[in-house]
Amino acid sequence: MLTIGGNDGGNLTNAVKNCYVIGVCDRNGYTGKIDQAVTDTGTVIDEIANAAPNAQIVLMGYPHIVGESQCWAGDFDTLNYLADYMRDKQKAKVDELKRSGTKVAFVNPIPAFKGHGLCDSDEWINGIVAGPNGDGDFHDGDPANQAPCIPKPGQNTCLSLESFHPKNAGTTGYAQVMGQALADIGYKGS
């Protein structure tokens, strides 16, 4: 089971910074990077299938980060458009791999996360979280390429990598979606 590709090429980081935090972005500036990330994901899935030919591989997509109502001046529509674009491309890649004999399935978490995005009353996604909170966050003195520093608007601090990622309820939601998907494809484990 894997979720992969959203951070490739700085896609999520740049889309959140430009579309959500700054509020100015062009969705077409991200679709080419998504296309490349999906191609790279296909390569990773092929490598997994070659290393473990009996494995049932399941690719989990991404939810909408932002809910239906706006609570910030950013470009909400573009972030959700990009999640839909990535979903469609990943599903198409999985379908292509299945036709070539790879034992792979795609799972779409978007319906399960409806009503649980940023700005919804029951958020499963973190909004802006000031860092550092953990080892993976940018700390003063870190090399610039080790962990990205997305500046918190109006402050001289970096956002935590927890920002715009699932809260505990979101990880539980992901797990429930995956559990149902495994049951649907008849996977019993080994």
Side-chain angles (χ1 to χ4, degrees):
M1 297 177 277
L2 66 152
T3 298
I4 188 171
N7 291 330
D8 290 10
N11 243 357
L12 176 65
T13 303
N14 291 329
V16 166
K17 179 176 71 176
N18 294 327
C19 302
Y20 187 79
V21 176
I22 297 171
V24 178
C25 67
D26 175 13
R27 64 181 61 177
N28 297 324
Y30 299 99
T31 55
K33 289 181 180 176
I34 290 172
D35 293 343
Q36 184 59 53
V38 170
T39 297
D40 294 345
T41 297
T43 301
V44 169
I45 291 171
D46 280 338
E47 290 171 355
I48 293 168
N50 288 334
N54 295 322
Q56 169 62 62
I57 303 165
V58 181
L59 176 63
M60 172 76 80
Y62 291 92
H64 285 169
I65 294 174
V66 182
E68 300 295 321
S69 59
Q70 279 194 282
C71 61
W72 187 266
D75 184 351
F76 289 81
D77 292 337
T78 292
L79 289 178
N80 290 338
Y81 166 83
L82 293 172
D84 291 340
Y85 184 86
M86 184 110 176
R87 174 205 56 215
D88 295 346
K89 293 293 184 169
Q90 286 183 325
K91 177 153 183 0
K93 176 56 73 175
V94 165
D95 290 345
E96 171 190 320
L97 292 168
K98 280 198 302 195
R99 285 190 301 273
S100 71
T102 303
K103 195 172 172 185
V104 62
F106 178 77
V107 182
N108 175 19
I110 291 174
F113 276 72
K114 187 168 181 62
H116 302 294
L118 291 177
C119 302
D120 288 330
S121 61
D122 184 19
E123 293 179 336
W124 288 3
I125 306 287
N126 284 309
I128 294 175
V129 178
N133 283 345
D135 292 337
D137 285 343
F138 182 86
H139 297 79
D140 285 336
D142 283 347
N145 62 353
Q146 179 178 343
C149 176
I150 302 174
K152 185 171 183 184
Q155 296 184 16
N156 189 21
T157 186
C158 297
L159 298 184
S160 169
L161 294 179
E162 294 173 9
S163 300
F164 310 103
H165 283 85
K167 296 178 176 184
N168 287 341
T171 58
T172 299
Y174 264 124
Q176 290 170 342
V177 170
M178 183 60 73
Q180 184 60 55
L182 292 173
D184 290 348
I185 62 175
Y187 183 75
K188 307 265 191 255
S190 55

